[in-house]
């Protein structure tokens, strides 16, 4: 209306106003002619070429949002940049004991004497970096054996850092990727979002008679700058994610929300932060070709499980009774998985079991060198 000036503006819920406007247009010939002429004179502003012109002119004013490519100096300090293949372990559907077993077996399967440094490992999970390191250290594994950790459901990426010149005489710490953080901070709600979610959490209750019991609580211990974590007391009373996402859209809060596999933790991250997007970030940042990235998953996973299956990377699905059934909150789906994921794709390999030989067999099928 502001551009074309070819009609009358009315309240769509006021039937009398609509009737009056229709009567006015039909009864006043001069108004009708003026609206017609204005429409014909300005309609070109809404043509397809004009739309393309406006769209491209807006794009030119935007700053670059793709990740910065690592410099030569950064690449020399990051072992991940020299790898030919990367195995990303994203198995959510197992207990900690079986996760450690899968990690050991994957490392043993991919290790080769001829090219020991050709394959690197990344652990991708909803856990925090402190939880990951505690788990690995508790079973005698050194965190420095990994090239990177994708933590907090894809909102943080850490790399091992050595205090000395060589790993053997250095203390290992983990350094967060600041470039990744600047990439995902777009439209992040921060403290305002946290306050809204804390208030929303008080409305998720279990009712027994007149007694109400809150089901979701803020989990500051497992939160980070770009991941707001909430502890779930009783997963059986969780609302579907689509309800939470709808509420956030109404409030103009652009972010991702997901439950972990057991539905005991809710994580809210920036719109550009997810485990699948973190994998693509590593591809751009360190020049690792996506077909050379192998993502290892279980039969089910966190709410972002589907995103880990599709794409140009390779996927290995570990099947077997070591997988724990997903919480019912993950099974609320109006469509079968095969409708959104091409499970018959050559990029997706299903293997029964998680032994070293099982993983070796799957890696050979997708061209990753093994022992």
């Amino acid at each position: 209306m502001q551009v074309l000036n070819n009609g009358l503006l009315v309240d769509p819920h006021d039937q009398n106003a609509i009737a009056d406007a229709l009567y006015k247009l039909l009864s006043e010939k001069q108004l009708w002619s003026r609206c017609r002429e204005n429409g014909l004179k300005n309609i070109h502003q809404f043509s397809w070429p004009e739309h393309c012109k406006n769209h491209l002119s807006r794009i030119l004013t935007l700053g670059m949002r793709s990740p910065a490519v690592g410099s030569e100096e950064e690449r020399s300090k990051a072992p991940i940049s020299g790898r030919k293949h990367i195995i990303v372990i994203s198995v959510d559907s197992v207990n900690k004991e079986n996760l450690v077993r899968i990690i050991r077996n994957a490392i043993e399967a991919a290790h080769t004497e001829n090219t020991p440094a050709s394959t690197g490992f990344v652990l991708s999970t909803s856990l925090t970096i402190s939880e990951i390191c505690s788990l690995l250290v508790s079973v005698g594994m050194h965190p420095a054996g990994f090239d990177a950790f994708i933590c907090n459901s894809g909102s943080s990426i850490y790399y091992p850092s050595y205090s000395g010149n060589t790993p053997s005489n250095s203390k290992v710490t983990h350094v967060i990727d600041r470039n990744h953080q600047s990439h995902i901070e777009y439209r992040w709600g921060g403290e305002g979002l946290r306050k809204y979610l804390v208030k929303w959490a008080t409305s998720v209750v279990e009712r027994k008679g007149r007694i109400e019991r809150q089901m979701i609580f803020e989990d500051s211990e497992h939160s980070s700058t770009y991941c707001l974590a909430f502890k779930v007391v009783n997963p059986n009373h969780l609302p579907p994610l689509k309800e939470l996402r709808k509420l956030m859209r109404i409030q103009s809060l652009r972010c991702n929300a997901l439950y972990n596999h057991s539905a005991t933790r809710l994580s809210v991250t920036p719109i550009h932060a997810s485990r699948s997007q973190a994998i693509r970030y590593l591809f751009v940042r360190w020049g690792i070709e996506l077909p050379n990235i192998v993502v290892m998953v279980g039969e089910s996973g966190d709410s972002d499980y589907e995103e880990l299956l599709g794409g140009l990377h390779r996927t290995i699905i570990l099947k077997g009774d070591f997988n724990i059934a997903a919480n019912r909150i993950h099974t609320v789906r109006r469509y079968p998985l095969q409708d959104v994921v091409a499970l018959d794709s050559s990029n997706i390999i299903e293997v029964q079991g998680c032994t070293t030989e099982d993983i070796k067999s799957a890696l050979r099928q997708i061209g990753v060198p093994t022992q």
Side-chain angles (χ1 to χ4, degrees):
M1 275 294 299
Q2 290 179 347
V3 175
L4 296 179
N5 190 23
N6 66 337
L8 300 173
L9 191 64
V10 297
D11 181 353
H13 302 289
D14 187 341
Q15 60 182 3
N16 292 327
I18 295 174
D20 291 342
L22 286 170
Y23 180 78
K24 187 173 184 178
L25 280 172
L26 292 170
S27 61
E28 298 183 18
K29 292 184 178 180
Q30 289 184 351
L31 175 62
W32 177 280
S33 299
R34 186 166 66 252
C35 289
R36 177 178 178 274
E37 290 172 3
N38 289 341
L40 291 173
K41 181 172 64 177
N42 298 314
I43 194 63
H44 71 279
Q45 297 184 45
F46 296 90
S47 66
W48 179 242
E50 195 69 19
H51 271 304
C52 293
K53 179 181 176 181
N54 291 335
H55 189 69
L56 291 172
S57 65
R58 294 292 181 89
I59 289 177
L60 291 175
T61 65
L62 300 176
M64 182 66 70
R65 289 212 57 82
S66 61
V69 177
S71 64
E72 290 296 328
E73 182 181 357
E74 289 174 323
R75 287 172 180 258
S76 65
K77 295 180 180 179
I80 191 172
S81 65
R83 309 297 191 191
K84 183 176 181 181
H85 295 93
I86 293 292
I87 297 177
V88 181
I89 301 174
S90 301
V91 184
D92 310 317
S93 58
V94 296
N95 58 31
K96 291 182 178 180
E97 181 182 343
N98 282 325
L99 175 60
V100 170
R101 182 158 63 99
I102 289 170
I103 293 172
R104 291 186 190 277
N105 291 344
I107 293 174
E108 184 179 346
H111 176 74
T112 58
E113 293 182 358
N114 295 331
T115 54
S118 65
T119 302
F121 293 88
V122 173
L123 188 57
S124 174
T125 175
S126 63
L127 302 177
T128 64
I129 186 65
S130 59
E131 289 178 295
I132 293 172
C133 291
S134 297
L135 172 64
L136 295 176
V137 171
S138 68
V139 294
M141 296 186 69
H142 204 299
F146 289 84
D147 288 340
F149 294 101
I150 299 174
C151 310
N152 300 101
S153 299
S155 62
S156 302
I157 298 178
Y158 287 87
Y159 306 104
S161 176
Y162 306 100
S163 58
N165 296 326
T166 60
S168 58
N169 62 0
S170 302
K171 179 182 178 181
V172 179
T173 58
H174 290 90
V175 179
I176 196 167
D177 190 326
R178 299 293 178 188
N179 182 271
H180 174 254
Q181 293 207 310
S182 66
H183 179 63
I184 66 173
E185 68 179 356
Y186 173 70
R187 296 192 69 175
W188 176 235
E191 182 62 16
L193 174 61
R194 187 194 70 81
K195 289 180 178 178
Y196 175 80
L197 290 172
V198 169
K199 182 179 179 181
W200 166 82
T202 61
S203 68
V204 183
V205 296
E206 176 188 10
R207 291 182 174 87
K208 290 185 178 180
R210 295 183 179 180
I211 302 174
E212 291 186 350
R213 181 181 173 216
Q214 188 174 336
M215 292 290 100
I216 302 178
F217 296 88
E218 184 180 11
D219 187 357
S220 302
E221 181 184 355
H222 298 115
S223 295
S224 63
T225 305
Y226 296 103
C227 179
L228 301 175
F230 291 81
K231 181 181 179 181
V232 178
V233 177
N234 188 344
N236 293 324
H237 292 270
L238 278 178
L241 272 180
K242 63 180 181 180
E243 291 186 12
L244 176 56
R245 289 167 177 163
K246 180 181 178 181
L247 286 173
M248 291 192 293
R249 282 199 302 271
I250 292 172
Q251 298 296 323
S252 298
L253 298 171
R254 297 287 300 277
C255 48
N256 288 325
L258 65 152
Y259 295 125
N260 67 353
H261 183 259
S262 60
T264 56
R265 184 182 296 179
L266 165 67
S267 298
V268 179
T269 63
I271 193 69
H272 287 312
S274 70
R275 290 191 291 173
S276 61
Q277 292 184 89
I279 292 171
R280 295 189 67 84
Y281 171 86
L282 294 176
F283 147 65
V284 176
R285 178 77 167 145
W286 304 114
I288 305 164
E289 295 297 327
L290 281 174
N292 292 339
I293 297 178
V294 180
V295 180
M296 202 172 291
V297 300
E299 290 186 80
S300 58
D302 297 355
S303 299
D304 60 352
Y305 177 73
E306 293 175 9
E307 301 173 14
L308 295 170
L309 300 179
L312 296 177
H313 64 262
R314 311 300 181 91
T315 303
I316 296 176
I317 302 177
L318 302 177
K319 311 189 78 171
D321 56 10
F322 52 88
N323 284 280
I324 301 171
N327 183 275
R328 64 159 190 89
I329 201 72
H330 297 295
T331 61
V332 181
R333 182 191 285 130
R334 294 182 180 179
Y335 50 86
L337 183 61
Q338 56 267 27
D339 282 0
V340 292
V341 178
L343 295 176
D344 57 349
S345 167
S346 59
N347 284 345
I348 299 178
I349 304 294
E350 295 184 351
V351 58
Q352 197 70 33
C354 62
T355 66
T356 302
E357 291 304 317
D358 295 327
I359 296 174
K360 273 185 182 181
S361 174
L363 291 175
R364 290 192 188 108
Q365 291 183 59
I366 55 181
V368 178
T370 60
Q371 182 64 34

